[in-house]
Amino acid sequence: MAKLLLLHAPHVVPRFSSGGTMSLISASALYRRPLLVNPQFSHIGPRLRSPYNRRFSARAFDDSSSSSSAEKEEQLRDGVPRERDEDYPTGETEYVDRNAWESFVVKLRMLFAFPWQRVRKGSVLTMTLRGQISDQLKSRFNSGLSLPQLSENFLKAAYDPRIAGVYLHIEPLSCGWGKVEEIRRHILDFKKSGKFIVGYIDICGLKEFYLGCACNELYAPPSAYSFLYGLTVQASFLGGVFEKVGIQPQVQRIGKYKSAGDQLSRKSISEENYEMLSVLLDNIYANWLDGVSDSTGKKREDVESFINQGVYEIEKLKEEGLIKDIRYDDEVISMLKERLGVEKDKKLPTVDYKKYSGVRKWTLGLSGGRDQIAIIRAGGSISRVKGPLSTPGSAIIAEQLIEKIRSVRESKKYKAAIIRIDSPGGDALASDLMWREIKLLAETKPVIASMSDVAASGGYYMAMAANTIVAENLTLTGSIGVVTARFTLAKLYEKIGFNKETISRGKYAELLGAEERPFKPEEAELFEKSAQHAYQLFRDKAALSRSMPVEKMEEFAQGRVWTGKDAHSRGLVDALGGLSRAIAIAKQKANIPLDRKVTLVELSRPSTSLPDILSGIGSSVIGVDRTLKGLLDELTITEGVQARMDGLLFQQLGRDSLATPIIDLLKDYLSSLR
């Protein structure tokens, strides 16, 4: 759901709303022995279409009615049979013990590991999941969790003979459901190694319990809080606020589901927005119930009945078998010591997340093969150039990403590329420029788009250029639509005694600059036509990219946000899964046997240069001053058309709603400045 930056006052133009080398192991059998794939995907069958290019149909721009049936239209794409989800490799992992020689080689390498990479035999890997989890790689100078490093730690621990098991502390999370699904998948994959994974939870929300119940055992202290009450989503409206302060938003909404327009002009929720949010909430809730039911062995209706009882006592969770036992952290550690045969007066040997992230995969025999696949990570709000508020890895800077895409296109060493997207959108021009570069790359080698928490508006715009799009069940995507707005400040100026006179030349010179008065009729007409044009460009390019007639794409556009599962059923996404499945599909498209090792080359590694480190520190120190200055600039300077999903929607669906709406509103606006 694309929208304008919320408070552009004098003039706002319509916006679509919405390396270093690393050898990650693909869950689709990247190495011959310890990891195997499902036999049905161990070969590559005959191709039904070009492995690189999605063949675009001229009918994508034909508004005439199609004579083909809806069923045929679903099965055919430009006359070529359309690949179904089951036609793609699953990317699922299967743990197989190493043979004697492989085990010997690994032990030999451990002897020569650097001291800071050594781990005591029988150690327990301790990791704490908390707050935001970034989809970007982080350097040793950055705090916080990184999903790529977290995933790699699970993989290494599964094959590391020094690691006895994992002790996972789960604290309140503020990441989206897409990342939660990815982490849960890694927990389930780790369990295939036969090692234990014990969870500990003291604040039990839906996300936290969803991950915890996937562990072998889950414990909680007697004083733990239980918030298993259900899911909520809130929609905030500024119409009444603007009315009181004397601001009149002139909104042109293209697409009946454009909640960003509602947010600016309405005082209550529209029927269309209510419908969309209800469907999204139903999807998330149903997925949660199914996941908990699978992990606990309880019937779905029993889980839902328990939720509806409003249980706040942690003892009830134990009685229902939803947690293993009620114990303090030290008691769980004592239990682990007893299980591992550690004497009571001795300390449990552990290695934490940060230190274990420094253990090389080569040491454990998990390095890649000769074939290389490039991984390009694109996370955050989209902008054309780096701004004063940008910190390394906090946004998608088009000029920087384009440089990486071109380097992959011009290099012969990469067999395929994966664009990993975690973005609600941003600058539409930047999105289009990146779309073009990704499309050119897709003409030379297979390109797979892998969606994380969100890939909507500008984020979906980027993904459209890939040969194949992979999303999580609960990825928020789509949001193909436009909202344009200009704010009239005449009443506000009158209240505060401010006056502004504008002298201009040209009939429409004051279209974006005369905020002291409403639009003239001819200006309002031009404003509407401009918005319609922006929407049609976005929608038609989406239809072209998905080889779908425009009238069909119109049904799925109109600014509507879809979950990955619903987007898949409507042809906006090709397959459901995480990064491991994207890697498996990339191998399939590049004619690389699924049981062959590949090396993943991360082109978005964090910079460790002194200027960038100092830049990050400086941003933290003077961040408040810059944010306030940026807030004032946003009131007077336009940045062009946006392709951005409504930030409030993303925030609320990304976590349990226990926060203050006003704080959420401020956070949403400040986040849009990135």
Side-chain angles (χ1 to χ4, degrees):
M1 293 166 0
K3 71 168 185 178
L4 276 189
L5 261 73
L6 276 182
L7 296 179
H8 274 207
H11 36 263
V12 178
V13 180
R15 290 193 149 191
F16 298 136
S17 275
S18 123
T21 299
M22 180 180 184
S23 56
L24 271 173
I25 302 300
S26 163
S28 62
L30 301 186
Y31 41 109
R32 292 186 181 85
R33 283 233 21 121
L35 201 56
L36 300 180
V37 290
N38 190 321
Q40 65 176 313
F41 299 116
S42 61
H43 69 282
I44 299 176
R47 297 198 174 279
L48 299 178
R49 56 176 174 160
S50 167
Y52 300 155
N53 302 320
R54 186 188 302 283
R55 293 170 57 184
F56 300 137
S57 169
R59 291 183 294 104
F61 291 99
D62 181 9
D63 287 330
S64 61
S65 60
S66 173
S67 59
S68 62
S69 66
E71 183 177 354
K72 290 182 179 179
E73 196 172 275
E74 175 67 19
Q75 295 299 324
L76 296 179
R77 185 176 282 173
D78 197 25
V80 180
R82 176 182 173 184
E83 289 177 299
R84 299 166 298 175
D85 186 277
E86 55 265 32
D87 295 328
Y88 296 107
T90 63
E92 292 183 1
T93 62
E94 196 173 315
Y95 183 88
V96 178
D97 289 328
R98 289 187 170 102
N99 59 34
W101 170 251
E102 290 168 336
S103 298
F104 172 76
V105 171
V106 169
K107 291 178 181 178
L108 189 63
R109 289 176 176 177
M110 288 177 181
L111 291 176
F112 294 97
F114 292 112
W116 56 86
Q117 294 179 346
R118 294 177 183 173
V119 177
R120 184 178 170 184
K121 186 174 178 59
S123 292
V124 175
L125 173 60
T126 61
M127 297 190 290
T128 300
L129 304 181
R130 176 195 297 126
Q132 279 288 355
I133 299 177
S134 172
D135 205 65
Q136 304 291 314
L137 289 167
K138 289 182 177 288
S139 73
R140 60 183 178 274
F141 300 103
N142 298 118
S143 60
L145 291 173
S146 162
L147 181 59
Q149 289 165 340
L150 190 67
S151 304
E152 184 180 300
N153 279 358
F154 274 117
L155 176 66
K156 291 186 298 186
Y159 291 99
D160 192 337
R162 302 167 298 181
I163 298 296
V166 173
Y167 185 26
L168 196 64
H169 278 251
I170 307 172
E171 298 189 7
L173 296 167
S174 53
C175 61
W177 285 97
K179 290 192 184 78
V180 171
E181 282 287 343
E182 186 92 9
I183 296 170
R184 178 183 168 89
R185 186 179 299 113
H186 285 293
I187 292 174
L188 296 175
D189 287 342
F190 177 82
K191 289 167 65 176
K192 297 176 183 178
S193 69
K195 299 179 181 181
F196 69 81
I197 178 166
V198 173
Y200 187 82
I201 188 169
D202 49 18
I203 298 180
C204 191
L206 292 184
K207 288 179 184 175
E208 295 76 27
F209 183 76
Y210 188 67
L211 292 178
C213 69
C215 299
N216 295 115
E217 302 169 16
L218 181 61
Y219 296 92
S223 55
Y225 297 124
S226 173
F227 295 120
L228 299 181
Y229 301 146
L231 279 169
T232 65
V233 61
Q234 296 176 350
S236 302
F237 301 95
L238 297 169
V241 176
F242 288 152
E243 183 180 293
K244 288 183 180 295
V245 299
I247 297 176
Q248 179 187 355
Q250 295 183 279
V251 178
Q252 185 62 53
R253 182 178 76 169
I254 311 299
K256 61 183 180 179
Y257 295 101
K258 293 311 299 177
S259 64
D262 291 349
Q263 189 178 24
L264 295 174
S265 59
R266 293 181 62 95
K267 298 179 182 179
S268 60
I269 195 168
S270 66
E271 292 184 9
E272 294 82 5
N273 194 14
Y274 182 87
E275 174 198 346
M276 180 181 68
L277 294 180
S278 296
V279 171
L280 290 172
L281 210 56
D282 287 343
N283 271 265
I284 296 172
Y285 191 48
N287 189 83
W288 187 88
L289 290 173
D290 291 339
V292 172
S293 175
D294 290 341
S295 295
T296 61
K298 295 184 175 295
K299 294 181 180 179
R300 188 180 189 273
E301 52 269 27
D302 292 340
V303 176
E304 186 170 16
S305 175
F306 180 79
I307 293 297
N308 291 332
Q309 292 176 26
V311 175
Y312 58 89
E313 300 164 302
I314 204 69
E315 291 82 4
K316 292 290 183 66
L317 271 70
K318 179 184 176 181
E319 292 174 8
E320 292 292 328
L322 296 178
I323 63 173
K324 176 73 172 180
D325 201 358
I326 299 175
R327 298 189 183 187
Y328 285 106
D329 180 54
D330 63 286
E331 294 177 312
V332 176
I333 292 176
S334 296
M335 178 202 69
L336 293 177
K337 287 168 63 176
E338 183 179 351
R339 181 177 299 178
L340 297 176
V342 179
E343 296 179 12
K344 290 184 178 181
D345 58 341
K346 300 292 185 180
K347 188 177 181 180
L348 179 71
T350 62
V351 57
D352 62 21
Y353 163 86
K354 188 172 184 179
K355 180 178 179 179
Y356 200 67
S357 294
V359 175
R360 297 173 58 193
K361 293 195 303 299
W362 176 85
T363 304
L364 302 172
L366 301 176
S367 54
R370 297 180 62 182
D371 294 321
Q372 297 186 18
I373 295 177
I375 305 289
I376 304 174
R377 296 185 182 272
S381 183
I382 298 172
S383 61
R384 294 189 296 278
V385 296
K386 188 175 181 179
L389 296 175
S390 299
T391 57
S394 65
I396 302 173
I397 311 300
E399 61 181 6
Q400 296 177 355
L401 196 73
I402 286 173
E403 184 179 345
K404 292 184 177 70
I405 295 170
R406 287 176 178 172
S407 69
V408 174
R409 188 176 83 234
E410 295 165 0
S411 175
K412 295 182 180 180
K413 66 181 180 181
Y414 301 116
K415 301 294 185 181
I418 295 173
I419 312 293
R420 177 71 172 177
I421 303 172
D422 187 22
S423 172
D427 187 288
L429 173 58
S431 302
D432 185 63
L433 296 177
M434 291 186 290
W435 176 89
R436 173 63 178 173
E437 293 297 330
I438 296 172
K439 183 174 181 293
L440 292 175
L441 175 61
E443 293 174 357
T444 64
K445 59 193 67 178
V447 177
I448 313 300
S450 173
M451 297 176 171
S452 185
D453 277 341
V454 58
S457 285
Y460 184 74
Y461 202 132
M462 294 171 60
M464 296 188 309
N467 303 112
T468 306
I469 301 177
V470 182
E472 293 284 0
N473 277 327
L474 299 182
T475 294
L476 299 181
T477 189
S479 190
I480 302 167
V482 170
V483 166
T484 66
R486 192 195 77 161
F487 294 87
T488 300
L489 307 181
K491 293 182 180 179
L492 175 61
Y493 286 173
E494 183 180 347
K495 285 183 178 182
I496 63 177
F498 179 78
N499 185 41
K500 181 178 180 181
E501 301 288 344
T502 302
I503 302 173
S504 62
R505 297 292 184 271
K507 183 177 180 180
Y508 296 105
E510 298 182 14
L511 179 69
L512 302 176
E515 79 283 354
E516 70 275 11
R517 62 169 178 79
F519 279 135
K520 297 176 183 177
E522 61 272 19
E523 290 174 333
E525 182 181 0
L526 179 62
F527 199 61
E528 180 182 359
K529 288 181 178 179
S530 174
Q532 287 285 356
H533 177 69
Y535 172 71
Q536 289 169 7
L537 284 176
F538 193 0
R539 180 203 60 195
D540 292 354
K541 188 161 287 186
L544 172 66
S545 298
R546 300 303 297 168
S547 298
M548 187 182 295
V550 171
E551 61 272 16
K552 190 71 174 177
M553 179 57 71
E554 177 68 15
E555 297 178 21
F556 308 142
Q558 300 203 38
R560 181 157 186 167
V561 176
W562 304 95
T563 60
K565 183 177 181 180
D566 282 350
H568 175 257
S569 67
R570 288 160 176 80
L572 301 178
V573 165
D574 295 298
L576 296 174
L579 183 61
S580 60
R581 191 171 196 192
I583 294 169
I585 295 173
K587 293 174 70 177
Q588 181 191 55
K589 296 289 185 181
N591 291 318
I592 301 173
L594 294 180
D595 60 349
R596 182 186 297 176
K597 296 180 181 181
V598 296
T599 294
L600 302 187
V601 182
E602 289 278 0
L603 299 184
S604 303
R605 280 192 174 276
S607 173
T608 55
S609 65
L610 183 59
D612 282 339
I613 294 171
L614 294 177
S615 173
I617 297 173
S619 296
S620 299
V621 174
I622 62 174
V624 174
D625 176 63
R626 284 191 172 182
T627 299
L628 292 175
K629 181 180 182 298
L631 185 60
L632 294 175
D633 289 342
E634 290 295 333
L635 294 175
T636 57
I637 300 174
T638 181
E639 292 184 353
V641 178
Q642 287 265 316
R644 186 190 302 277
M645 188 185 78
D646 183 355
L648 286 179
L649 172 66
F650 176 50
Q651 289 279 348
Q652 293 298 339
L653 286 176
R655 67 176 191 276
D656 299 331
S657 181
L658 298 173
T660 304
I662 296 298
I663 299 299
D664 282 339
L665 201 61
L666 291 173
K667 285 175 65 179
D668 174 61
Y669 178 70
L670 293 176
S671 69
S672 72
L673 299 181
R674 291 198 298 253

